[in-house]
Amino acid sequence: MNWLDQVKWDAQGLVPVIAQEAATGDVLMFAWMNREALARTAELGRAVYYSRSRGRLWFKGEESGHVQQVHEMRLDCDNDVVLLKVTQLGHEPGIACHTGRHSCFFSVLKDGAWQAVDPVLKDPESIYK
């Protein structure tokens, strides 16, 4: 059996993916992959996602240069979520978020409101031209 056949794809042929920094354990981002994206990620050793808004494969870092080198791919117990252990490249410290932050999970619920608690490491205007 092909390892891709063991993944439980949703009705749109997608699987949710979490990118976690291998060195720190930080959760960097959440995205989607289709079958081709998952296969390309395994083949290339770099994160390739499926962009629902663009309707195409999205090679992480194709515009920003913030590439994710994949060290390990894991599948959860229900076979319906993929975890990538990555090194975030292209900036030190690594930037995974399109807002110029290390992680997409930069807001914390405090006193009934979401508050950004992590700094912008690089102005997104200078990343995406």
Side-chain angles (χ1 to χ4, degrees):
M1 175 186 268
N2 185 318
W3 63 273
L4 289 165
D5 294 335
Q6 294 178 297
V7 176
K8 289 185 184 171
W9 307 97
D10 72 7
Q12 290 76 44
L14 302 174
V15 65
V17 182
I18 299 164
Q20 180 182 36
E21 194 168 48
T24 65
D26 290 348
V27 175
L28 299 177
M29 58 178 279
F30 169 87
W32 297 92
M33 286 185 177
N34 63 7
R35 188 181 183 94
E36 183 181 2
L38 188 57
R40 295 295 303 271
T41 296
E43 172 191 339
L44 299 173
R46 82 173 263 198
V48 180
Y49 299 107
Y50 180 80
S51 171
R52 295 179 305 162
S53 60
R54 298 174 185 139
R56 65 172 177 82
L57 292 186
W58 161 42
F59 289 73
K60 177 69 173 154
E62 66 188 26
E63 293 177 29
S64 66
H66 302 150
V67 172
Q68 291 175 344
Q69 177 185 6
V70 177
H71 300 285
E72 186 175 70
M73 297 169 55
R74 291 181 176 226
L75 189 61
D76 80 325
C77 59
D78 294 321
N79 292 4
D80 62 1
V81 178
V82 172
L83 173 68
L84 300 180
K85 299 230 178 174
V86 305
T87 296
Q88 186 67 54
L89 304 172
H91 186 273
E92 188 57 45
I95 295 174
C97 185
H98 74 280
T99 66
R101 291 176 172 89
H102 177 62
S103 168
C104 293
F105 297 94
F106 59 84
S107 294
V108 174
L109 184 62
K110 286 186 180 179
D111 301 320
W114 293 107
Q115 298 177 21
V117 295
D118 294 340
V120 173
L121 302 173
K122 189 170 182 182
D123 180 2
E125 294 294 322
S126 69
I127 298 171
Y128 305 98
K129 298 174 186 178

